[in-house]
Amino acid sequence: MQHTKLRGTVQRCNLSTWSNNPSFWSRSIRNHIQRGSLRCALLAYKQTRQEGLYDSSVVPLLLKACASLSFLHSGKALHAESIKAGSESDLFIGTALLATYAKCGVVRDARNLFDTLPKRNVVTWNAMISGYLRNGDTESASLVFEEMQGKTQVTWSQMIGGFARNGDIATARRLFDEVPHALKDVVTWTVMVDGYARKGEMEAAREVFEMMPERNCFVWSSMIYGYCKKGNVTEAEAVFNRVPVRNLEIWNSMIAGYVQNGFGEKALQAFEGMGDEGFEPDEFTVVSVLSACAQLGRLDVGKQIHHMIEDKGIAVNPFVLSGLVDMYAKCGDLVHARLVFEGFAERNIFCWNAMISGFAINGKCREVLEFFGRMEDSNIRPDGITFLSVLSACAHGGLASEALEVISKMEAYGIDMDIKHYGCMVDLLGRDGRLKDAYDLIVRTPVKPNDIVLGALLGACRIHSDMNMAEQVMKLIGDDSVTAANSHNVLLSNIYAASEKWEKAERMRRIMVNGGSQKTPGCSSIIFSDSCG
């Protein structure tokens, strides 16, 4: 797979110039890496090796590229060539190899290398600790940490951050409190605040934040992110307004926070304010703003953002691509959604999900199945979100046999069904009049059915006037949710009335009155056009 990706990069890398001078290729490799063209750098190196040239000084840089791309096979090839050249014991190459193995998930190989290195420096020790933490082995990380002499700010910060990311915030705080005063810099404080914020413990995050002797932009962003994640946009705004000097990352955090909490208009206003302060948007900005346009159905603004991306030359990575597809689809413009999608060759799972979901929400069931097939053919593995969109389309299109095939594929991929997947199947079987099959599915499912799933089946019972099944569903509902039970009682009463079972209908009505049941009044939202036409 890695060789295929590299072959597809040859034409873009401009590697036609030939030279048998090793320094020429070293410069070429370094230039590619500085520009972020990691695949091009690996291709340039491959070309030098085919001609028998070798320069050990670029190997650590190439190993970092392998780690960033998760190209384990290429990393092992570099390791083998280093052994042949007698440079595997070089401290910088050995440390880079260790970090590559750890980042690619083969920690045992990283540890074997660590144990056999003739020399180790502080970077080597930190790389080993980071490798264990990255792969969730906090116990081994602690053992190496205790053995290490000359711990640095980086050592302490990665231990605090690693334990926090692995869910052990108490140990992270203990380590933070143990950091020697001379080593407790702004990064150490920031990592602790960020650990609390990502875990949703905003009171503790605020306590540490307020004690900080100095603050950087990252800690302000962490606080905004944490409050937005908790749904407390007011506090996030208060923190945002306290920032002495804002940068692009802080603006992006606030805009993304608005979008995540459904404040699309505020997100667009913040985007405008960001521009007024002279900041140029990046990929992260446009992904959030496109999501705001999708929420609001603002196709006009979404098109402006699309034009701005093209005019400013903002990199269209798979996330920007999926944001554009999602915006056009949710605004009902499937023509442009498909044009954008088909215009890019490199599509990840998010791009495919955006296109399939777009067809699903617009009722294009056959297109959903077509693109689902194309996705499988392109060797992109579908996930639970993909299957939810496909099942939802099948449910709304009444495609029962196709839905059952989709369920079989879920099992083949080893993806567990959750309550939403079961809800789609119950809805589909209920619409199709297969109430017994829907009921059996609910009873068999390892996931406890929620009120929405049971309500969908009860609604199907009403459509098909199946009183007996409705009574069985009501037994499943029980008294778990008073509000839901009340609304379902209304449905059951209507089913009895439709079947002319007046006594039972009246009895249900009395239960609702005595229990204080009240039908929630409906409401509609109307969007007025600016024009009077």
Side-chain angles (χ1 to χ4, degrees):
M1 186 67 177
Q2 291 166 20
H3 295 309
T4 304
K5 289 178 181 176
L6 288 177
R7 280 199 301 270
T9 315
V10 172
Q11 293 180 339
R12 298 198 304 272
C13 294
N14 192 23
L15 297 176
S16 57
T17 304
W18 169 246
S19 171
N20 61 359
N21 185 347
S23 63
F24 168 83
W25 286 107
S26 295
R27 286 196 305 274
S28 174
I29 290 167
R30 291 174 194 277
N31 288 338
H32 282 308
I33 288 174
Q34 286 173 358
R35 291 197 301 268
S37 304
L38 305 184
R39 287 183 173 85
C40 293
L42 291 171
L43 271 171
Y45 175 76
K46 186 179 179 183
Q47 205 161 328
T48 66
R49 295 300 296 138
Q50 287 171 350
E51 298 299 325
L53 303 174
Y54 180 78
D55 180 1
S56 62
S57 68
V58 298
V59 173
L61 298 175
L62 291 165
L63 285 166
K64 287 182 180 179
C66 293
S68 297
L69 296 167
S70 296
F71 279 10
L72 177 60
H73 181 81
S74 299
K76 286 188 172 183
L78 284 164
H79 190 180
E81 289 175 357
S82 298
I83 293 172
K84 287 179 185 177
S87 58
E88 80 279 6
S89 59
D90 178 271
L91 180 61
F92 297 106
I93 291 177
T95 301
L97 271 169
L98 188 158
T100 301
Y101 283 140
K103 287 179 181 176
C104 291
V106 283
V107 191
R108 184 175 295 178
D109 290 351
R111 183 56 194 252
N112 289 339
L113 195 60
F114 178 79
D115 290 335
T116 56
L117 280 174
K119 290 182 181 179
R120 304 171 191 152
N121 62 10
V122 68
V123 180
T124 315
W125 284 89
N126 284 342
M128 192 67 254
I129 292 169
S130 174
Y132 278 129
L133 291 170
R134 177 185 290 271
N135 289 277
D137 189 352
T138 53
E139 185 178 347
S140 296
S142 295
L143 292 173
V144 177
F145 176 77
E146 293 300 329
E147 189 183 345
M148 180 181 177
Q149 300 295 315
K151 300 175 180 68
T152 65
Q153 289 101 326
V154 173
T155 317
W156 285 100
S157 293
Q158 69 181 15
M159 282 291 287
I160 295 164
F163 272 88
R165 284 193 305 275
N166 283 288
D168 190 352
I169 197 73
T171 300
R173 180 57 189 262
R174 177 180 60 76
L175 287 163
F176 174 76
D177 292 336
E178 291 174 1
V179 179
H181 181 73
L183 298 180
K184 191 175 278 190
D185 62 0
V186 67
V187 176
T188 317
W189 284 89
T190 299
V191 168
M192 190 69 252
V193 172
D194 188 64
Y196 278 128
R198 292 188 179 279
K199 197 169 172 59
E201 297 185 16
M202 291 312 297
E203 288 185 14
R206 188 62 172 260
E207 174 202 350
V208 178
F209 176 78
E210 296 297 350
M211 290 191 298
M212 290 182 74
E214 60 173 317
R215 302 184 182 107
N216 57 19
C217 292
F218 298 107
V219 80
W220 288 103
S221 291
S222 290
M223 289 295 291
I224 293 167
Y225 165 84
Y227 278 122
C228 287
K229 185 181 177 184
K230 293 280 286 184
N232 193 344
V233 177
T234 303
E235 278 298 331
E237 289 175 325
V239 171
F240 178 79
N241 291 330
R242 282 178 59 190
V243 180
V245 180
R246 297 176 189 137
N247 67 357
L248 180 60
E249 184 184 6
I250 290 169
W251 276 103
N252 282 346
S253 296
M254 194 67 250
I255 293 169
Y258 280 135
V259 173
Q260 289 160 10
N261 286 278
F263 294 101
E265 286 291 354
K266 283 194 170 187
L268 295 182
Q269 289 167 9
F271 174 64
E272 190 176 339
M274 185 188 91
D276 291 342
E277 288 195 10
F279 289 99
E280 289 290 332
D282 63 5
E283 309 95 274
F284 299 101
T285 320
V286 297
V287 167
S288 294
V289 176
L290 286 169
S291 183
C293 294
Q295 285 180 6
L296 299 167
R298 293 293 302 272
L299 181 60
D300 54 337
V301 180
K303 284 184 174 180
Q304 290 174 20
I305 301 300
H306 191 177
H307 292 316
M308 181 198 72
I309 292 169
E310 295 174 337
D311 292 342
K312 293 184 180 293
I314 296 171
V316 181
N317 59 30
F319 299 101
V320 174
L321 172 60
S322 60
L324 283 165
V325 172
D326 184 62
M327 181 277 295
Y328 278 120
K330 285 182 177 172
C331 291
D333 190 346
L334 287 175
V335 173
H336 274 94
R338 190 163 184 169
L339 281 172
V340 170
F341 180 85
E342 301 289 6
F344 289 86
E346 292 187 21
R347 310 177 189 116
N348 64 7
I349 180 70
F350 302 104
C351 304
W352 283 99
N353 281 349
M355 193 69 253
I356 291 170
S357 171
F359 283 128
I361 61 178
N362 283 280
K364 303 295 183 182
C365 308
R366 293 297 172 187
E367 285 86 347
V368 167
L369 295 172
E370 175 199 338
F371 272 69
F372 177 64
R374 282 180 57 186
M375 178 183 182
E376 288 188 294
D377 292 340
S378 67
N379 294 320
I380 298 291
R381 178 186 169 88
D383 60 10
I385 295 171
T386 318
F387 281 107
L388 182 60
S389 294
V390 178
L391 284 173
S392 176
C394 290
H396 287 92
L399 307 175
S401 59
E402 287 86 347
L404 293 172
E405 286 181 24
V406 170
I407 294 296
S408 298
K409 287 189 176 183
M410 276 191 80
E411 294 171 354
Y413 280 109
I415 298 173
D416 293 330
M417 290 178 67
D418 64 20
I419 192 63
K420 292 180 180 178
H421 299 107
Y422 281 110
C424 284
M425 284 305 298
V426 168
D427 184 36
L428 174 57
L429 293 170
R431 288 169 186 253
D432 202 38
R434 297 162 61 178
L435 304 182
K436 178 70 166 59
D437 290 340
Y439 179 82
D440 290 343
L441 180 64
I442 287 175
V443 172
R444 287 198 314 269
T445 173
V447 184
K448 184 178 179 181
N450 60 16
D451 295 332
I452 297 171
V453 173
L454 294 170
L457 181 52
L458 201 56
C461 292
R462 180 188 179 188
I463 292 169
H464 297 284
S465 301
D466 192 330
M467 239 185 350
N468 294 330
M469 182 58 71
E471 289 174 346
Q472 290 185 60
V473 176
M474 286 301 293
K475 288 176 184 176
L476 291 177
I477 293 170
D479 300 322
D480 287 348
S481 171
V482 175
T483 305
N486 286 338
S487 63
H488 297 330
N489 283 336
V490 174
L491 262 180
L492 186 58
S493 174
N494 291 339
I495 293 169
Y496 284 140
S499 303
E500 298 186 358
K501 302 293 182 181
W502 305 114
E503 290 183 7
K504 289 188 175 182
E506 178 62 18
R507 186 164 67 248
M508 289 306 303
R509 192 189 67 79
R510 285 175 184 163
I511 289 171
M512 290 185 285
V513 170
N514 294 335
S517 175
Q518 194 170 4
K519 218 175 181 179
T520 305
C523 62
S524 302
S525 66
I526 303 172
I527 301 175
F528 292 98
S529 168
D530 292 335
S531 63
C532 300

